[in-house]
Amino acid sequence: MNTFEQRLQKLASNANSREATPLPLTGTQKSIPPNSLSYSTLDVFTTTRFKGNQLAVVHVPSSLPLPASVLLLQEIKQTIAREFNFSETVFLHDALTGTSDRRLDIFTLKEELPFAGHPIIGTICHVCQSEEPPLKSITLLCKAGPIVGRYDPETKLAEAEIPHNLRIHQAPASGRSVLRLQPYLSRTSVVTNELRVVSIVKGLSFVLIQVPSISPHLEKLEVRGQCVECDTVRLDEGWTPSFIGTYFYAITSQSSDKVVRLRTRMLEPSVGEDSATGSAASTLASFLALKDGTARMTFYYSIEQGVEMGRASEIQVKVTLDATGKAVEKVVLAGKAARKCKVLMQTFPIVPLGLSRQTCFSARIYLMTSVIYLKEAILTLKSTGVTQGVLYLPEST
């Protein structure tokens, strides 16, 4: 055994003592080949495939030949997220030893997020539905803190109490600057020039923009290139860096059952439009509850998003104010998800930087191969519902 092989064996041996102990494998997990990863794709905040917001859930088992921290470096996770090209991709780790808690890493096309709504709801549905009988609760460990998820097997509704540290920033955003690239709204006076900027937690902020109606105001938004400008948005000291999106909304009705109904659209400078944004919905609902409520009041919001994209989504948010009526006590996000497919991917030999670059495959080529297969698998969904497959890559030379 050469020095290189000895170093790999030592890493693998150390991994066995450091990594979490996996839960017993169930269902198709038992057939996962060594050195491979499985992933599933779901449509979240909908019960209809090809609606809602797409999510990729990559399962990171504790039985990897190297520790996950070595095998899946931060830049590799980011590359994988870009290859899926969904608004978010998550990496779901095996449960920690002695608990059912699961670490969850959430990535956009550009960066890792402390938490995000549709990945949380999608992951709860994915994990709970994968067990037999279905689980009714799970704890996800996100960068923003632990999130307890609940799942109702009968209604197939998932809900989670969202971590929050709501901040309405002192400096309003300039409507003229943010909407400079929106011709219709910039020509009208329906949007105030002083827009509120709100963070649900540090690192996740939204410019909230109310318009009078769905038609023509929401429908006239243009999504092409850099459709909004957030460079001029200023957050309070200590709240940067942060993701910043623009969340447009119209209040459509307030029904007799005290549910406020809204239609929304979320635009972000580098991504374009998002079909369902649970974190933005939670931010908006919290902001509206504080504006309209008093002590101990609870508000219910039903938010429709993604309609103009052809991917209609239904988001539910419940907000409870504290005893003072000036702060949010609890935010509960709820929704459903439809599973599209489950795929097994053959992993590639990869070693830490500095050992040997010759034995490493390109993560980009690896995921391009898997996504091509995924597109083929989706074509069979109408007849099979769920597609499985194994992706093989050539041996390294």
Side-chain angles (χ1 to χ4, degrees):
M1 182 181 296
N2 60 35
T3 303
F4 172 75
E5 291 172 333
Q6 290 174 347
R7 294 178 72 180
L8 280 183
Q9 187 178 59
K10 184 177 180 180
L11 278 170
S13 175
N14 292 341
N16 291 334
S17 61
R18 289 198 304 267
E19 289 291 308
T21 302
L23 291 173
L25 296 178
T26 60
T28 57
Q29 289 181 341
K30 294 180 179 179
S31 61
I32 297 176
N35 302 331
S36 62
L37 297 175
S38 66
Y39 69 85
S40 296
T41 61
L42 304 95
D43 289 323
V44 186
F45 291 122
T46 183
T47 56
T48 305
R49 288 191 179 100
F50 311 113
K51 299 290 185 180
N53 201 353
Q54 297 166 291
L55 177 70
V57 180
V58 180
H59 175 228
V60 183
S62 59
S63 57
L64 290 172
L66 295 174
S69 59
V70 173
L71 186 64
L72 290 174
L73 300 174
Q74 192 82 353
E75 56 265 34
I76 293 178
K77 290 180 181 178
Q78 189 65 72
T79 300
I80 290 173
R82 284 196 298 267
E83 289 298 338
F84 275 111
N85 202 31
F86 295 164
S87 58
E88 279 100 6
T89 294
V90 300
F91 296 84
L92 178 66
H93 295 250
D94 270 338
L96 299 174
T97 303
T99 76
S100 59
D101 298 353
R102 308 283 293 270
R103 173 184 155 195
L104 189 71
D105 305 322
I106 304 172
F107 283 79
T108 68
L109 299 179
K110 292 175 53 182
E111 60 193 330
E112 186 175 9
L113 296 180
F115 98 96
H118 105 268
I120 296 297
I121 295 299
T123 302
I124 294 170
C125 289
H126 168 69
V127 173
C128 293
Q129 291 173 1
S130 297
E131 298 296 324
E132 187 56 47
L135 299 179
K136 294 185 178 181
S137 66
I138 183 175
T139 299
L140 301 175
L141 305 178
C142 301
K143 295 295 188 294
I147 297 177
V148 177
R150 294 175 292 276
Y151 179 74
D152 187 332
E154 292 187 6
T155 64
K156 298 185 178 180
L157 183 73
E159 65 176 34
E161 187 171 332
I162 297 300
H164 60 277
N165 180 20
L166 197 75
R167 179 79 168 199
I168 302 174
H169 296 277
Q170 294 181 3
S174 167
R176 281 190 293 270
S177 297
V178 173
L179 300 176
R180 183 176 65 83
L181 300 177
Q182 290 294 330
Y184 180 80
L185 290 182
S186 63
R187 290 195 303 266
T188 67
S189 58
V190 298
V191 175
T192 177
N193 189 47
E194 295 191 348
L195 305 173
R196 301 313 309 180
V197 183
V198 185
S199 299
I200 186 75
V201 293
K202 284 188 177 181
L204 208 51
S205 308
F206 299 92
V207 182
L208 303 180
I209 306 172
Q210 184 175 9
V211 296
S213 64
I214 296 172
S215 179
H217 303 103
L218 277 182
E219 293 178 349
K220 289 285 188 178
L221 292 178
E222 295 190 12
V223 185
R224 59 183 183 188
Q226 184 141 334
C227 49
V228 289
E229 292 235 12
C230 293
D231 294 343
T232 60
V233 176
R234 297 290 176 262
L235 304 182
D236 292 347
E237 185 177 353
W239 285 77
T240 58
S242 178
F243 168 91
I244 300 177
T246 53
Y247 205 45
F248 296 80
Y249 69 97
I251 298 175
T252 57
S253 69
Q254 184 164 349
S255 60
S256 57
D257 56 0
K258 297 183 180 180
V259 176
V260 179
R261 304 186 187 280
L262 305 98
R263 172 80 71 83
T264 63
R265 297 183 74 175
M266 208 289 279
L267 304 184
E268 194 268 322
S270 63
V271 175
E273 184 165 10
D274 196 24
S275 56
T277 319
S279 55
S282 300
T283 304
L284 174 60
S286 299
F287 172 76
L288 294 176
L290 282 174
K291 188 176 73 169
D292 300 332
T294 57
R296 299 295 186 191
M297 287 189 69
T298 296
F299 293 84
Y300 299 87
Y301 299 90
S302 178
I303 298 172
E304 191 177 33
Q305 188 179 332
V307 174
E308 292 78 10
M309 299 174 63
R311 300 192 67 93
S313 307
E314 298 177 9
I315 307 169
Q316 300 176 34
V317 187
K318 180 173 73 172
V319 179
T320 301
L321 302 182
D322 69 3
T324 69
K326 298 180 180 179
V328 173
E329 182 176 275
K330 182 185 293 188
V331 181
V332 177
L333 178 68
K336 301 180 180 181
R339 179 179 290 174
K340 279 201 296 196
C341 67
K342 180 181 289 186
V343 180
L344 307 182
M345 303 184 298
Q346 191 72 19
T347 59
F348 48 91
I350 185 166
V351 295
L353 296 178
L355 288 181
S356 172
R357 290 182 179 273
Q358 294 180 347
T359 59
C360 296
F361 281 104
S362 162
R364 183 174 181 83
I365 295 174
Y366 159 67
L367 257 298
M368 282 179 65
T369 305
S370 68
V371 170
I372 290 171
Y373 184 91
L374 177 60
K375 289 178 179 177
E376 294 174 352
I378 288 175
L379 296 178
T380 68
L381 283 174
K382 288 186 179 179
S383 58
T384 63
V386 175
T387 300
Q388 297 178 1
V390 181
L391 304 176
Y392 295 98
L393 293 177
E395 295 294 331
S396 60
T397 57

